[in-house]
Amino acid sequence: MAFALTPEREREVDELLTHYPNKRAALIPVLWICQRQHGWISPEVVAWVAQRLELSTAVVTGVVTFYTMFFQHPVGSHVIWVCRTLSCDLRGAKVIQDHLEEKLGCHAGGTSKDGKFTLLKAECLAACGQAPMVQIDDDYHENLTLEKLDQIIESYRGTPSAQE
Amino acid sequence: MSEQKPLLTSRYEIPNAHTIEVAEKHGAYKSARKALLTMKPEDIRAEVKKASIRGRGGAGFPAGVKWGFLNPQEGEQVYLVINGDESEPGTFKDRTILNVDPHRLIEGILITCWAIGAHTAYVYIRGELAHSIKSLDAALAEARAKGYVGEKPFGKPFEIQIYTHSGAGAYICGEETALLNSLEGRRGEPRLKPPFPAIKGAFDQPTIVNNVETIAAVPDVIEMGGEPWCNLSRLAPADGGVRLYGISGHVKRPGIYEAPVGITMRELIDVYGGGMLHDDRPLKAVIPGGSSTPVLRPDLKVDAKKADHPLHPWHGQSEIDVPMGVDTYRALGTMLGTCCAIVMDSSVNMVEACRNLMRFYQHESCGQCTPCREGTGWLLDTLDEICEGRGRPEDVHRLVEIANNMMGNTICAFADGTAMPLLGFVQKFREEFVAAVEKGRPLQARHDDSTAALVRGRAA
Ligand SMILES: Cc1cc2nc3c(=O)[nH]c(=O)nc-3n(C[C@H](O)[C@H](O)[C@H](O)COP(=O)(O)O)c2cc1C
Ligand code: SF4
Ligand code: FES
């Protein structure tokens, strides 16, 4: 199925292109706009972006595969990143990860059976003073306890997915 | 704590300081107006040089000196690029500026653009910080609406455009030339230097790359004057001003605190950080300025007997009693880095802590250089073996050998930033590495056990 941005997002791309002296520099921001709409960077998205910015699909793929936040496969409605780097680990990040794995019934790297949550491990997210923490979609949740975490997860269950 | 009134954080406690009305009511844009309307670019550069702002991104290079490397040729356009990648483990300071007081950064950018002759500035922010990007974008929209950013800032016919640019998850994009590649829509792979960015940077044009906090300090320098600002530091004139200190790990009050340059690690932990988290678990080790800076050990004494040794005044004192400065810490065999400390108490096993960080580096190497790509993997494999009870006696030496072969043999400083902390851990806590290997069984002391109870909602 061919991919296309909504007209509103197309205008975002037009605006972005005015920020840079060439089209290629808009590649990462444009990929972000696409992922926000589509949920992941599918081969169709790659083809569309390549054409829009006058780049080869190989160049676009090379960039997509370099950055961990661009999903190369479909993900759950919400993506949970658990920070496991030292400051968070010192304050119990492993307990947070274990709890989430049990609760969601999947290991880090997987998606819960109901398709609601994808659980991923993250490296330091620049919230070390508020450890332990998780990022869910665009939001940080900090100074976690298991009780707080349970409430947060529940609050996402009823909400629509990050991508429209 | 210091009696000096807060500068960088002066608007942190004020509600809605991120809006332009509130920020301006509390002093924002006064310095930019003064700089653009009444000062010559060379005068601003001179004040910044006198201020001795050592780069806050990690390397500690003086900002004023760096600006002096610019030498644009006919037809070249100078760019200012702000490094908001903030990905060094343990570091979480720039984010506070972006979220709470974005107008301070915008003001610093305006002054800097005028000082270095740049009409365009990009602020590169790591992709995870979606809210910080939104916060800065909103502040930029306000500043544009007021005419501060745009064709004629404050009426001055000197166009300045400022754009945010989001990363997408890659630690290496904090390295300035990787960041420039990422800005240009490429894989975030560091470039060979020279040429340095000041000669050939963004879009092959002369470019200054500075950290968010470095540029956020510029408005105060202009308001106070370079020398008075510099003298706020206990290590003036070489290392000037005030800065943001971060503290995380096993302390009572983790967070970001403003203090003069040159407080000691002991003060940071005991006074600002509120002391150790558990009264019965003393300080065992502290990583001073982000994960790439070699660890300090409070029971080790400074050895600087000779009168001309830079650390002579602290001879015989604990490592954590040396003032925190770029040069003092280098003399101590570590680095000040981002000035964000990770504090570890007596419950932490140093081999496990080291493994945690080496997993990070193995994950984040961009893979261009063999010593780095392979070395990070070998370090992690070896540490995994040791931690899982399969270590061999020669493994401790092997770690050191791998690290030594990574140093100085690569395109960027990432490999050194991996090898140095590894060597620090092994040198300062050798007995723990040896014990782990000799025991021949999985390490019992997981480094997160000590606070697991906190997360479970019970007092530890
Ligand atoms: C591997 C690596 C990662 C880095 N990460 C960052 C970072 O996240 N933020 C930053 O400001 N500087 C980072 N730096 C330092 C930059 O290369 C550069 O020196 C700095 O942005 C210059 O700004 P300053 O002089 O104001 O500190 C990193 C350097 C290396 C080698
Ligand atoms: S040292 Fe490592 S991170 Fe730096 S360019 Fe080489 S492989 Fe990449
Ligand atoms: S270590 Fe988790 S946010 Fe930095």
Side-chain angles (χ1 to χ4, degrees):
Chain A
M1 206 176 58
F3 171 83
L5 279 182
T6 61
E8 196 183 317
R9 289 200 162 91
E10 266 289 354
R11 279 194 293 279
E12 256 186 87
V13 173
D14 289 336
E15 155 68 21
L16 264 175
L17 288 170
T18 67
H19 296 188
Y20 308 99
N22 63 39
K23 284 191 176 177
R24 179 174 184 153
L27 177 52
I28 291 172
V30 169
L31 285 168
W32 270 120
I33 293 174
C34 295
Q35 180 159 295
R36 247 175 267 135
Q37 173 171 318
H38 191 64
W40 64 293
I41 306 293
S42 63
E44 291 78 19
V45 172
V46 169
W48 184 88
V49 171
Q51 198 185 22
R52 183 75 170 83
L53 298 181
E54 295 168 36
L55 299 166
S56 71
T57 51
V59 161
V60 177
T61 304
V63 167
V64 170
T65 53
F66 188 83
Y67 298 94
T68 55
M69 296 186 83
F70 291 135
F71 301 126
Q72 296 165 58
H73 305 281
V75 289
S77 319
H78 301 287
V79 177
I80 307 176
W81 301 87
V82 190
C83 176
R84 284 300 311 274
T85 312
L86 189 56
S87 300
C88 282
D89 252 22
L90 292 170
R91 311 262 327 198
K94 182 169 187 301
V95 183
I96 299 287
Q97 185 186 334
D98 290 348
H99 185 74
L100 283 169
E101 289 185 344
E102 199 185 305
K103 193 178 174 75
L104 303 176
C106 64
H107 285 290
T111 298
S112 61
K113 266 215 190 76
D114 59 7
K116 277 263 166 201
F117 297 100
T118 294
L119 181 64
L120 297 170
K121 282 209 266 186
E123 296 293 355
C124 182
L125 292 168
C128 326
Q130 293 81 253
M133 62 83 67
V134 298
Q135 176 180 1
I136 307 184
D137 304 331
D138 280 352
D139 296 322
Y140 279 24
H141 299 280
E142 303 172 329
N143 295 311
L144 292 174
T145 61
L146 293 188
E147 200 187 336
K148 207 165 143 185
L149 181 62
D150 284 339
Q151 287 165 4
I152 291 165
I153 298 297
E154 286 317 311
S155 74
Y156 276 88
R157 278 201 194 278
T159 60
S161 67
Q163 66 271 10
E164 296 98 79
Chain B
M1 273 188 222
S2 123
E3 296 303 312
Q4 163 67 34
K5 73 174 168 55
L7 294 169
L8 283 163
T9 57
S10 68
R11 294 193 282 267
Y12 274 33
E13 304 295 326
I14 298 169
N16 298 318
H18 62 279
T19 64
I20 201 162
E21 282 75 31
V22 176
E24 274 202 291
K25 207 178 288 166
H26 293 89
Y29 295 109
K30 264 200 327 219
S31 299
R33 204 174 258 117
K34 168 174 157 188
L36 270 84
L37 300 182
T38 71
M39 292 174 78
K40 292 206 233 35
E42 57 266 34
D43 298 339
I44 299 172
R45 295 200 300 268
E47 291 306 317
V48 170
K49 219 175 202 171
K50 277 188 255 170
S52 251
I53 316 178
R54 308 295 290 264
R56 305 311 198 214
F61 197 81
V65 176
K66 189 191 285 188
W67 297 2
F69 292 154
L70 282 173
N71 181 22
Q73 306 298 303
E74 186 72 34
E76 284 188 328
Q77 186 184 352
V78 176
Y79 285 105
L80 174 64
V81 174
I82 307 299
N83 192 338
D85 195 56
E86 183 131 280
S87 300
E88 172 86 358
T91 308
F92 54 106
K93 64 187 180 68
D94 298 334
R95 183 182 159 221
T96 64
I97 298 173
L98 297 168
N99 290 354
V100 185
D101 195 6
H103 288 288
R104 181 177 304 278
L105 176 63
I106 298 173
E107 183 171 15
I109 293 173
L110 290 170
I111 299 169
T112 307
C113 279
W114 172 234
I116 64 174
H119 292 286
T120 308
Y122 295 103
V123 185
Y124 184 101
I125 302 175
R126 65 182 293 184
E128 292 88 343
L129 292 178
H131 281 282
S132 309
I133 297 169
K134 272 186 213 150
S135 164
L136 184 60
D137 274 336
L140 279 169
E142 290 178 322
R144 273 188 211 113
K146 288 237 176 191
Y148 301 168
V149 172
E151 271 174 33
K152 286 187 177 175
F154 313 106
K156 179 97 182 174
F158 183 87
E159 180 171 358
I160 300 176
Q161 299 294 350
I162 306 175
Y163 305 111
T164 58
H165 185 98
S166 168
Y171 164 70
I172 193 59
C173 290
E175 196 280 338
E176 57 188 7
T177 59
L179 184 148
L180 294 175
N181 273 338
S182 188
L183 174 67
E184 292 180 15
R186 298 168 199 281
R187 293 163 69 85
E189 286 162 348
R191 301 174 179 173
L192 267 174
K193 292 187 260 193
F196 288 92
I199 305 302
K200 203 171 165 198
F203 309 107
D204 287 342
Q205 304 294 306
T207 301
I208 291 295
V209 184
N210 272 131
N211 173 260
V212 166
E213 186 194 340
T214 308
I215 296 302
V218 170
D220 290 323
V221 170
I222 295 306
E223 178 169 336
M224 295 178 66
E227 218 175 291
W229 188 86
C230 179
N231 286 332
L232 296 172
S233 160
R234 295 190 199 164
L235 296 173
D239 194 341
V242 294
R243 62 185 299 160
L244 297 180
Y245 291 78
I247 185 161
S248 67
H250 293 149
V251 289
K252 287 202 172 68
R253 283 197 309 267
I256 296 294
Y257 301 97
E258 176 178 336
V261 167
I263 65 166
T264 65
M265 183 60 77
R266 193 185 297 282
E267 280 177 279
L268 180 62
I269 295 171
D270 289 346
V271 183
Y272 294 88
M276 296 303 288
L277 182 62
H278 304 284
D279 295 329
D280 58 341
R281 291 183 193 156
L283 174 69
K284 178 168 179 180
V286 53
I287 298 173
S291 59
S292 302
T293 62
V295 65
L296 298 178
R297 192 175 160 151
D299 53 351
L300 283 184
K301 304 278 181 268
V302 177
D303 182 16
K305 217 173 287 146
K306 281 210 188 116
D308 62 348
H309 192 289
L311 296 184
H312 183 67
W314 299 279
H315 175 70
Q317 294 184 35
S318 161
E319 290 191 334
I320 65 168
D321 289 318
V322 172
M324 299 174 70
V326 176
D327 306 316
T328 47
Y329 264 33
R330 197 166 290 152
L332 192 57
T334 184
M335 278 172 61
L336 187 60
T338 59
C339 211
C340 287
I342 306 173
V343 177
M344 293 177 274
D345 71 22
S346 56
S347 71
V348 181
N349 181 289
M350 287 301 133
V351 188
E352 277 283 7
C354 183
R355 165 160 84 154
N356 180 296
L357 293 180
M358 292 306 132
R359 187 198 63 218
F360 169 84
Y361 289 107
Q362 188 274 334
H363 185 257
E364 300 295 339
S365 167
C366 89
Q368 286 190 102
C369 322
T370 310
C372 175
R373 181 183 64 243
E374 300 299 320
T376 50
W378 295 342
L379 289 176
L380 180 62
D381 286 348
T382 309
L383 285 161
D384 279 345
E385 293 287 309
I386 297 177
C387 290
E388 282 154 25
R390 294 188 300 271
R392 296 159 305 173
E394 62 269 29
D395 281 348
V396 182
H397 178 66
R398 188 164 172 246
L399 288 171
V400 173
E401 198 143 287
I402 298 167
N404 279 333
N405 283 317
M406 290 170 68
M407 300 251 275
N409 286 326
T410 55
I411 295 175
C412 88
F414 177 100
D416 293 48
T418 307
M420 283 185 318
L422 180 286
L423 292 171
F425 272 114
V426 177
Q427 276 154 13
K428 289 196 175 162
F429 293 94
R430 177 173 285 273
E431 71 280 6
E432 242 167 270
F433 284 78
V434 170
V437 168
E438 281 175 352
K439 259 189 211 137
R441 54 184 159 80
L443 289 182
Q444 296 298 309
R446 279 213 53 98
H447 54 75
D448 48 25
D449 272 358
S450 68
T451 45
L454 281 180
V455 180
R456 296 213 163 87
R458 293 187 298 264

